[in-house]
Amino acid sequence: MAQAAQSNLDPLNAVKPYLTWVLLALNIGLFFVFSMPEFPRLVFAQMMLWPTQEEFRWWQPITHCFMHNGFPHLAFNMIALWQFGSELERFIGTKRYAVLYFSAVACAAIL
């Protein structure tokens, strides 16, 4: 186990952070789609996870993680994801990183 973790720290053998790159692209792309004036506010509201919302939708615990409240919020989150997520993905591997990322998304939905 320690040898596997050590090999992930070697730049020549490091895992490429493909999932981090996909998550960055999804977050940035969806932010700009949701920011378009033509984007229906009803669809936007159906993707958010509102604590006072009467009708819960099964997809909201996942889609809420792609919603950002303005460009500064998006920029800070994407810088943190790029800096920490890419290193974490290289260190623990893509599968474990995906489990960790989406477990955090589920926990955030519960809280």
Side-chain angles (χ1 to χ4, degrees), residues 8 12 15 18 20 25 31 33 57 85 96 98 102 104-105 108-110:
N8 285 343
L12 297 176
V15 173
Y18 294 119
T20 301
F31 175 78
V33 168
R57 307 281 191 240
R96 287 183 182 157
F102 288 106
V105 167
I110 292 170

Side-chain angles (χ1 to χ4, degrees), residues 17-35 39 44 47 62-68 74-75 77-78 81-82 97-98 101-102 105:
Y18 294 119
L19 180 59
T20 301
W21 296 342
V22 168
L23 292 169
L24 285 166
L26 271 173
N27 276 285
I28 294 168
L30 289 174
F31 175 78
F32 286 109
V33 168
F34 298 149
S35 298
F39 192 79
F44 181 82
M47 295 182 76
I62 300 297
T63 58
H64 83 277
C65 74
F66 297 107
M67 312 307 274
H68 294 88
L74 174 76
N77 283 0
M78 295 307 99
L81 180 61
W82 175 61
Y97 177 66
Y101 184 88
F102 288 106
V105 167

Side-chain angles (χ1 to χ4, degrees), residues 2-108:
Q3 186 178 9
Q6 184 65 25
S7 68
N8 285 343
L9 295 176
D10 181 10
L12 297 176
N13 295 327
V15 173
K16 301 288 186 222
Y18 294 119
L19 180 59
T20 301
W21 296 342
V22 168
L23 292 169
L24 285 166
L26 271 173
N27 276 285
I28 294 168
L30 289 174
F31 175 78
F32 286 109
V33 168
F34 298 149
S35 298
M36 296 170 61
E38 301 85 26
F39 192 79
R41 290 286 133 199
L42 179 61
V43 175
F44 181 82
Q46 293 298 315
M47 295 182 76
M48 291 296 291
L49 188 60
W50 301 101
T52 59
Q53 185 171 335
E54 293 178 12
E55 294 185 34
F56 175 77
R57 307 281 191 240
W58 64 267
W59 58 80
Q60 290 171 330
I62 300 297
T63 58
H64 83 277
C65 74
F66 297 107
M67 312 307 274
H68 294 88
N69 187 19
F71 187 76
H73 181 207
L74 174 76
F76 179 78
N77 283 0
M78 295 307 99
I79 289 169
L81 180 61
W82 175 61
Q83 287 182 331
F84 300 111
S86 59
E87 291 302 316
L88 186 59
E89 184 176 0
R90 283 186 185 111
F91 186 70
I92 66 174
T94 301
K95 289 179 185 177
R96 287 183 182 157
Y97 177 66
V99 169
L100 179 66
Y101 184 88
F102 288 106
S103 295
V105 167
C107 287

